[in-house]
Amino acid sequence: MGTPDQSNRMPARIPTLDIRRFTHPSSPGDRQAFVDELGAAYREWGFAGIRNHGIPQSLIDDAYRVFQAFFALPEDTKKQYHVAGGGGARGYTPFGVETAKGAKHFDLKEFWHIGREIPDDSKYRDVMPPNLWPAEVADFREKGYALYSALDALGAQVLAALALHIGLPEDWFADKTDSGNSILRPIHYPPITADDIPNVRAGAHEDINLITLLVGASAAGLEVLSHEGEWVPFTSDADTIVVNIGDMLQRLTNHVYPSTTHRVVNPPGDEARKPRYSVPFFLHPNPDFVIDVLPSTVSADNPSRYPEPITAQGYLEERLKEIKLK
């Protein structure tokens, strides 16, 4: 038998917060309470669930429908949308390419990338290519980009709250992400038909970007590594969007907001024979944004870990090579 404190200890739980307390506060203290709780969740976990986010379920369902229709196409058709040498920036990346940093085995997934629509004369066009759109799925562009735009707006709200938590103006991130090289990534994890394979659906990794917003973490499999070294499952309610910190924000905030290791494990038994779909939105800064440690996050207890600044684009290219996409 365990000691009383072991047996009574509540299992670690990653918090889910109501963002309406920030966007539509009902009392004067609501906004500050949300900022405090969100900041605490990110300092502890690097992850939080966001509910009452205002993105209609019908929009999410429509986007999933078109994404699943694409992944159901013949392999030869899908591969026509793979851009050789493009680092997976736009269009289709086939099964068996992406590999978590340091992993021996590739991830068990295929995916598509939707990027920001920008004019051809934009100064960022050389690093933000035009989107590809599959002609075989009639409303892929309309539904896919509508979800992109909705998650971009929600991400801006989360960043505003995080800015306040570390003593920055609420709009500090606004002009640094308004042309961000952000990516919506519909992912298909096909059914696993063999036992005892060494690969997992997504190997242990940290995200590259500022924050990631995940639509569809209601299927089991996502696990987050705690400070104590335990893998904690995070299966959210269907109406919750999971938002986690990426390495760019960890670097910018001198690890005040940690970029937490996470993975997608293969489910047991018959569940492994079913496909899994998820749609993360990777929110990036503008390509020429300089990631330099914020002075407010440097202290005697937390000296600057990154004396050398780097542009967002330079950092992205370094990391894409590590995960076999460049």
Side-chain angles (χ1 to χ4, degrees):
M1 265 185 59
T3 62
D5 19 87
Q6 286 175 319
S7 56
N8 293 335
R9 191 175 64 181
M10 290 291 289
R13 183 153 179 84
I14 298 166
T16 292
L17 304 174
D18 184 343
I19 199 169
R20 282 183 311 189
R21 293 160 61 210
F22 184 71
T23 56
H24 300 88
S26 57
S27 71
D30 261 8
R31 290 191 100 224
Q32 189 59 50
F34 177 84
V35 167
D36 292 345
E37 289 171 33
L38 187 72
Y42 283 130
R43 283 170 181 256
E44 173 65 25
W45 288 104
F47 269 77
I50 299 293
R51 58 188 171 86
N52 292 321
H53 44 72
I55 300 177
Q57 189 60 43
S58 58
L59 170 56
I60 294 170
D61 291 343
D62 284 349
Y64 264 83
R65 175 179 54 76
V66 298
F67 299 152
Q68 290 178 14
F70 173 78
F71 289 123
L73 294 171
E75 291 300 311
D76 287 349
T77 303
K78 290 186 286 191
K79 285 182 177 173
Q80 291 172 12
Y81 295 99
H82 175 59
V83 181
R90 301 291 183 269
Y92 176 64
T93 294
F95 186 80
V97 175
E98 187 172 25
T99 305
K101 180 182 174 181
K104 294 179 182 174
H105 305 285
F106 59 76
D107 291 346
L108 300 176
K109 65 188 179 192
E110 57 179 344
F111 54 87
W112 181 278
H113 274 181
I114 297 171
R116 188 179 302 281
E117 296 272 66
I118 59 173
D120 282 336
D121 61 358
S122 165
K123 63 179 178 177
Y124 300 127
R125 178 50 96 202
D126 60 329
V127 293
M128 293 170 62
N131 279 305
L132 296 179
W133 302 108
E136 294 79 6
V137 182
D139 46 357
F140 188 104
R141 179 176 188 162
E142 176 196 349
K143 305 301 185 188
Y145 204 72
L147 184 57
Y148 182 107
S149 300
L151 290 168
D152 197 32
L154 177 60
Q157 293 172 339
V158 173
L159 286 175
L162 289 177
L164 289 172
H165 182 251
I166 52 172
L168 296 172
E170 184 174 333
D171 63 353
W172 191 86
F173 284 99
D175 64 353
K176 300 163 183 67
T177 55
D178 55 357
S179 294
N181 193 5
S182 303
I183 293 290
L184 186 70
R185 174 190 277 193
I187 305 172
H188 172 223
Y189 304 97
I192 297 167
T193 54
D195 295 322
D196 300 326
I197 57 171
N199 314 60
V200 293
R201 282 183 158 169
H205 66 284
E206 299 83 42
D207 292 343
I208 298 170
N209 38 288
L210 286 174
I211 56 173
T212 300
L213 296 88
L214 177 63
V215 184
S218 52
L222 177 63
E223 295 186 346
V224 177
L225 189 63
S226 76
H227 290 323
E228 287 73 42
E230 297 175 69
W231 285 105
V232 178
F234 191 11
T235 303
S236 65
D237 296 329
D239 62 349
T240 296
I241 290 176
V242 176
V243 185
N244 64 276
I245 305 296
D247 285 351
M248 289 184 180
L249 192 56
Q250 172 177 264
R251 182 170 177 143
L252 184 68
T253 64
N254 201 32
H255 292 231
V256 168
Y257 295 138
S259 174
T260 305
T261 304
H262 54 287
R263 65 186 183 184
V264 179
V265 296
N266 303 341
D270 290 343
E271 288 299 305
R273 308 295 187 250
K274 299 175 185 175
R276 184 181 193 271
Y277 299 90
S278 72
V279 183
F281 177 77
F282 301 116
L283 194 154
H284 282 256
N286 301 350
D288 53 1
F289 172 68
V290 177
I291 306 170
D292 197 5
V293 170
L294 292 165
S296 63
T297 63
V298 177
S299 66
D301 294 335
N302 190 29
S304 175
R305 301 161 196 251
Y306 302 101
E308 293 294 322
I310 187 171
T311 65
Q313 183 64 25
Y315 187 75
L316 175 62
E317 288 179 1
E318 274 185 15
R319 291 294 303 278
L320 289 175
K321 288 173 185 161
E322 292 175 349
I323 61 173
K324 311 285 173 64
L325 283 182
K326 272 280 204 192

